[in-house]
Amino acid sequence: MLKYLLILPLCIASVLEVLSKEEILRKPISLVYFYAPDCRFCTDVTPAVDYLSSIYNHNVNFQIVKVNGRKLKPLVQLFEVASFPTLKIYDNDKKSVTTYSGDRLIDLIDDFIAKHSDAQADLTNAITRVHSLTSLEQLNDLAAAKGVVIAFMDSTTPEWKHMTRPFHYFQELAQQNPHLAFATAELNKVDSKVVREFRVSNSPSLVFYDGQTVGVLGTFSANEVVDDEQTIRFTNLLTSKSIGTWFSNLAELQTHADEAEYVDTILLKPGMNAMAHSAKDFEEDIEGQYEQLLGKISL
């Protein structure tokens, strides 16, 4: 069974609270969230609805609203709400009410919205604690402020393809650790100076940097897996430094990585073995062709 979503990015404002049936009818289709202030399960759902409201309420024909079921019992009775929390979509054109019955996960509620409306999400309206890293100057500012955990990735990395969505584990880690800065660095967008600074040659990979101490996981070793479990462990164990490779400063990391490029087995940059074999095969092929040519012209 899918877990409930507990942590979400911060949103610009909470979902609109309505006080009457007329406010629900302001737009043709409404997702109505019935909650109660004393409902402990609602504390899990409210951030999800707030987030969805921030990315959907720009639509002309669709809105997300919430109803305090303790105060507005006539609306609770009208929509036949039996418990809290409850999510229902009301279509004023069809005069129909559809009750959501899935797990309390944003992506599933999002699917519910898509199934019963043509509303389009605008993800640029969502606020997140995860920075998009593009420059060395930005990196140094984040590191100096409180230390930063950076995820280096590219658009084809399966584990990180939902990075911009609030249910991604990196987004949750950012919410759970407000004392740290979190950033992603897309290898095709970030300044190459950042990549060179940490000798990054793997994706996905992680770096912790506070302006002095550096911790890395998977940056220059193809033998380390960076998935949800490892990312969470790396972040939660920064103090003990029990996962990853740690250096006192950047110069120490750079020396280690530069020397490791010449080791045959462990820390070669990803692809270097394959490139070396390819180059060797090419050289042998050219040499063979040259011998054949000499034979043909009797030299």
Side-chain angles (χ1 to χ4, degrees):
M1 183 175 179
L2 293 171
K3 69 174 183 176
Y4 286 166
L5 179 65
L6 299 179
I7 308 289
L8 295 169
L10 300 174
C11 298
I12 296 173
S14 62
V15 63
L16 174 66
E17 184 156 350
V18 297
L19 301 175
S20 67
K21 180 180 68 176
E22 287 69 30
E23 289 180 275
I24 295 175
L25 300 179
R26 282 185 308 185
K27 294 187 179 182
I29 302 177
S30 296
L31 174 69
V32 186
Y33 166 50
F34 293 89
Y35 78 101
D38 56 346
C39 164
R40 64 186 181 91
F41 298 109
C42 296
T43 59
D44 293 345
V45 182
T46 297
V49 178
D50 284 345
Y51 171 78
L52 289 167
S53 173
S54 73
I55 64 174
Y56 273 109
N57 275 5
H58 66 283
N59 284 273
V60 175
N61 297 318
F62 178 83
Q63 65 177 347
I64 298 176
V65 297
K66 66 181 179 181
V67 172
N68 185 333
R70 299 287 186 232
K71 288 184 177 180
L72 299 176
K73 292 183 179 179
L75 283 180
V76 169
Q77 294 171 356
L78 179 64
F79 282 88
E80 299 180 347
V81 174
S83 62
F84 306 114
T86 291
L87 290 164
K88 292 178 180 276
I89 279 187
Y90 176 66
D91 189 319
N92 192 35
D93 293 334
K94 297 178 180 178
K95 306 300 180 188
S96 64
V97 178
T98 307
T99 303
Y100 176 74
S101 58
D103 286 330
R104 297 162 187 153
L105 287 166
I106 270 195
D107 51 337
L108 299 182
I109 301 173
D110 195 30
D111 291 341
F112 179 66
I113 293 171
K115 183 177 180 180
H116 297 282
S117 76
D118 60 358
Q120 299 295 313
D122 182 0
L123 296 177
T124 61
N125 286 336
I127 301 299
T128 172
R129 286 196 65 247
V130 178
H131 302 267
S132 179
L133 186 62
T134 57
S135 70
L136 195 56
E137 292 74 21
Q138 181 190 9
L139 164 66
N140 290 330
D141 288 343
L142 292 173
K146 49 186 176 181
V148 58
V149 177
I150 311 160
F152 288 88
M153 55 185 229
D154 59 62
S155 58
T156 62
T157 308
E159 301 91 336
W160 295 82
K161 65 181 180 180
H162 293 304
M163 179 53 238
T164 58
R165 301 295 296 277
F167 52 83
H168 192 277
Y169 46 85
F170 202 65
Q171 297 279 4
E172 294 187 2
L173 282 171
Q175 282 290 96
Q176 293 167 343
N177 296 275
H179 60 289
L180 291 171
F182 285 77
T184 58
E186 294 186 52
L187 294 178
N188 63 329
K189 296 180 180 178
V190 68
D191 191 327
S192 59
K193 293 178 183 177
V194 176
V195 176
R196 289 198 302 270
E197 192 85 341
F198 295 104
R199 300 299 192 267
V200 176
S201 57
N202 245 356
S203 172
S205 57
L206 299 173
V207 167
F208 169 78
Y209 184 51
D210 62 4
Q212 188 68 25
T213 303
V214 189
V216 300
L217 181 67
T219 51
F220 45 73
S221 173
N223 302 321
E224 293 176 311
V225 176
V226 179
D227 55 15
D228 54 346
E229 182 180 348
Q230 292 295 81
T231 302
I232 292 167
R233 288 187 65 221
F234 180 78
T235 302
N236 290 341
L237 298 174
L238 291 177
T239 303
S240 65
K241 300 179 176 58
S242 57
I243 180 172
T245 307
W246 291 83
F247 305 92
S248 299
N249 51 57
L250 267 176
E252 188 178 310
L253 175 148
Q254 291 163 354
T255 299
H256 176 83
D258 292 344
E259 290 177 351
E261 289 180 359
Y262 302 98
V263 177
D264 289 334
T265 55
I266 300 175
L267 295 176
L268 275 177
K269 288 184 177 179
M272 285 187 68
N273 281 321
M275 289 170 63
H277 287 307
S278 177
K280 183 179 179 182
D281 292 343
F282 179 76
E283 290 171 359
E284 291 175 351
D285 184 57
I286 289 295
E287 187 174 338
Q289 291 181 35
Y290 182 65
E291 291 295 333
Q292 292 177 20
L293 178 61
L294 291 180
K296 286 181 179 180
I297 61 177
S298 301
L299 290 178

